[in-house]
Amino acid sequence: MNIVLVCPSGAISSVLDRIHATDGESTDEVTVVSWGRTDVDATDMQSIVVGHPLGSFSRAMNNALRGSVVGRNILRLSPIDGGRRMWRATRREPRFRAAVTRADLIVAVERDGILTAWMAARALAPSTARAVYGAAPAEALLRIARQDG
């Protein structure tokens, strides 16, 4: 199966353990999309680094708004929201588009990857591809797919 992991922070080790634990020998093609380096150095997966860090003004706004519930809701509606930034950074990236058009499963590992996974599944992926949030649903779908095929 072709799996795309959308993980802005790059912390994918626990997710990889769960999806590879579903069978002994995995032949999955895994692509990781993140802001920077991942916490796993694996030669058998493709890594796509997108985007750029926030500017000083945006970073200050982000830090100021994260301190309260109202501030976090305002941040979610703003263009500096992590999920929106991730989608903007990935939607025109040719390697991401190529990976998603081949994907069977798109996994949003973190909350900031949900918009990207959903939009990619809707706009770019084949109609048979599925998008999920978290390792447990991904593991369940992989078990079902491996039993069927």
Side-chain angles (χ1 to χ4, degrees):
M1 289 191 80
N2 292 323
I3 303 168
V4 176
L5 301 176
V6 182
C7 184
S9 74
I12 58 163
S13 60
S14 63
V15 175
L16 283 178
D17 290 344
R18 288 192 73 172
I19 50 180
H20 287 311
T22 56
D23 65 353
E25 292 183 22
S26 177
T27 58
D28 298 329
E29 181 183 320
V30 179
T31 303
V32 179
V33 182
S34 66
W35 290 121
R37 290 193 46 171
T38 63
D39 63 352
V40 174
D41 290 326
T43 57
D44 60 341
M45 67 178 184
Q46 180 183 3
S47 182
I48 301 172
V49 178
V50 296
H52 53 80
L54 285 172
S56 59
F57 177 75
S58 296
R59 193 171 36 255
M61 288 293 295
N62 193 356
N63 291 337
L65 291 172
R66 282 193 326 203
S68 70
V69 174
V70 173
R72 285 190 295 275
N73 286 328
I74 291 170
L75 182 63
R76 286 277 153 235
L77 298 172
S78 76
I80 61 172
D81 170 57
R84 289 181 186 207
R85 287 179 50 237
M86 187 65 158
W87 173 240
R88 282 195 312 268
T90 57
R91 68 180 172 195
R92 291 191 184 98
E93 171 63 45
R95 293 176 301 151
F96 174 75
R97 292 176 75 86
V100 169
T101 56
R102 293 188 319 268
D104 298 309
L105 179 62
I106 304 168
V107 182
V109 178
E110 300 166 355
R111 192 201 53 76
D112 280 345
I114 294 172
L115 179 66
T116 300
W118 179 69
M119 292 294 286
R122 241 181 93 220
L124 304 171
S127 62
T128 57
R130 299 290 174 249
V132 296
Y133 174 49
E139 182 181 7
L141 281 174
L142 287 171
R143 282 182 197 261
I144 292 168
R146 289 177 179 141
Q147 287 172 355
D148 290 345

